[in-house]
Amino acid sequence: MSSASREEELRAYAGEASTRLVGAGQVLAGRQIMGGPARGNVPPWPGSEDRDFHGTLSAIWVWSRAQALSANDHFSLNIAAAWDFVNNSWDHFIPVALGPAASDEAAYDCAMVLRAVLADPNILGFDAEDDRRRDRASSAARLLGAYVNDLESPGGREFRDPGFLAWSLGEYARQAGDRGLSSMVRRFVEAAYGMKSPPPFASETVAQDGLFDFSCTTATRVLAVLGAEGPTPFIGAWLRERVASAIARTFVARPMDENTWNACAAVGVGRAYAVSTDPRFLAAHGAILSELDRRAELGALGRQPGFSAETAATFYYAMAVDAPLAKG
C-alpha cells in the first residue's frame, strides 16, 4: 500500500474510531458520580458506588482521546471532575513508596496516572508547568521508576504486569524529555525482554488463581519495547521480522477476562502496525476488533460474556480502537 493510500485509510478509520470512543465516553460519563464526597469518581461497573482510582483514570483517558479525535470538548466537565477526584483521593491510593506495604494495585495506579496524562498532549506542554496534573505525573513516574528498577522478575500478570508498567513509564519518559528515566526503562526492557521474538500470543499462560487475568502479557512486552525505544526504523524492522509471526490473528478464547485480554492483545497489534506499517498487523487488529465490536454495547464492554459494561474493559477496548492511530 502506498503512503498516500495508507494515510487515506487511516483518516477514514480515525472517523470511525472517534465515533466509538465518544460512545464509550458517554457510557462512562453516565456512570460518573457528580456530587457528594466522591464527586468525579467513575465506579467500576453499573450499580457500584466503589471509589475506583485507576478506573477514574481509565475514564479520563477515554474522554481525552475521544475529544482529541472528535475535536470537540464534550467531556471537559467530566475530565475536570475526575481529576478533582484523583487529587482528593491521591494520598489514599498512592503510597509514599511502592514497597511491601503498598497495595497490589498501587504500581498499576501510578501507571494509569501516566496513561491519563499522556492522553492529553497539553498537560506535558511547555506552557503547563503550573498544571497540578503534571506534578502528579512526575510523582507517579518517580515511584514507578523506583519500583521497575527494583523488579527482579518480569513474570507478573494483571495489576503487576511489568510490561504494562514499563510501556507506560517509557512513553511518559520520552514525552516528558526525562533522559534518566528513559535510560532506566531501556535497561529494564533489555534485561527483561531483549529483542528476541516473543512467544505466540495464543500460547500465553492462563491464570490458575486470582480474580483477574486481563493483561495480555505477550502484547505488553512488545509495547514495553515500543515505549522504551520509540517508533524508530529499527523497531519497525524488529516488529516485521520477529513479532509479526507471533501475533494472534483472530480472537482468542480465554476462560477469564477474555474480552479485556483480547482488547489488550489488539492494543499491541495496533501499535505495532502504527510503527511498522506491516499489513499483517492491521489485518489481525481488524479481526480481533471485529469480535470485540460485536460484543460491545453502545461503545462499552464487559470483561467477558455475561458481564455488564465495566470501566476497565471499556478502557482496554478504547485503547484497542485507538491503537493504529498512535504516533509514538
Side-chain angles (χ1 to χ4, degrees):
M1 180 186 297
S2 69
S3 177
S5 297
R6 177 174 175 268
E7 288 300 320
E8 183 177 346
E9 183 177 36
L10 285 177
R11 277 195 296 272
Y13 179 82
E16 299 171 4
S18 172
T19 300
R20 287 183 175 125
L21 263 65
V22 169
Q26 289 171 338
V27 171
L28 297 180
R31 187 179 304 166
Q32 187 178 30
I33 297 170
M34 295 302 280
R39 179 181 180 274
N41 176 47
V42 182
W45 50 75
S48 171
E49 296 183 358
D50 292 348
R51 299 190 180 205
D52 191 350
F53 190 80
H54 54 254
T56 301
L57 290 161
S58 297
I60 291 173
W61 187 95
V62 174
W63 292 328
S64 297
R65 286 301 297 151
Q67 291 194 160
L69 289 177
S70 65
N72 190 308
D73 64 351
H74 341 248
F75 301 115
S76 57
L77 294 178
N78 302 99
I79 293 170
W83 274 113
D84 284 344
F85 172 78
V86 169
N87 287 323
N88 294 335
S89 304
W90 187 269
D91 292 339
H92 179 75
F93 289 97
I94 302 296
V96 295
L98 296 176
S103 78
D104 289 344
E105 299 177 8
Y108 186 83
D109 286 341
C110 287
M112 287 304 303
V113 172
L114 303 184
R115 296 246 65 89
V117 166
L118 287 166
D120 184 344
N122 295 320
I123 297 176
L124 296 179
F126 290 112
D127 59 347
E129 282 81 0
D130 295 328
D131 193 323
R132 193 178 187 189
R133 298 171 298 177
R134 186 181 179 124
D135 295 335
R136 292 304 195 192
S138 179
S139 297
R142 175 181 54 80
L143 290 168
L144 192 58
Y147 176 84
V148 169
N149 192 50
D150 290 342
L151 276 180
E152 296 180 357
S153 168
R157 297 187 65 79
E158 28 91 9
F159 293 111
R160 296 178 297 276
D161 174 10
F164 182 88
L165 304 181
W167 170 45
S168 302
L169 191 60
E171 280 201 347
Y172 168 80
R174 286 191 294 104
Q175 293 296 323
D178 189 327
R179 295 183 179 180
L181 189 58
S182 289
S183 295
M184 187 282 294
V185 176
R186 283 197 297 271
R187 288 195 301 272
F188 170 79
V189 169
E190 182 177 351
Y193 307 120
M195 303 300 291
K196 302 184 295 293
S197 299
F201 282 35
S203 70
E204 185 173 308
T205 301
V206 172
Q208 299 300 319
D209 52 20
L211 299 174
F212 305 102
D213 194 27
F214 57 81
S215 189
C216 176
T217 56
T218 317
T220 58
R221 68 179 282 173
V222 174
L223 289 167
V225 174
L226 299 184
E229 300 294 340
T232 66
F234 173 74
I235 293 300
W238 172 71
L239 290 167
R240 290 187 293 270
E241 296 168 9
R242 298 195 176 183
V243 177
S245 61
I247 61 175
R249 299 185 181 279
T250 188
F251 193 92
V252 177
R254 304 275 296 182
M256 185 188 301
D257 292 352
E258 73 171 5
N259 289 346
T260 321
W261 186 95
N262 277 276
C264 184
V267 175
V269 173
R271 284 290 188 110
Y273 172 71
V275 175
S276 71
T277 69
D278 189 315
R280 290 175 292 179
F281 291 111
L282 188 61
H285 176 268
I288 299 171
L289 198 61
S290 178
E291 177 60 20
L292 292 172
D293 288 342
R294 190 183 69 79
R295 297 178 178 212
E297 296 182 15
L298 303 175
L301 192 67
R303 71 183 71 177
Q304 61 194 55
F307 280 69
S308 299
E310 297 167 280
T311 304
T314 299
F315 164 65
Y316 278 89
Y317 172 57
M319 280 204 300
V321 170
D322 183 64
L325 303 172
K327 300 299 183 183

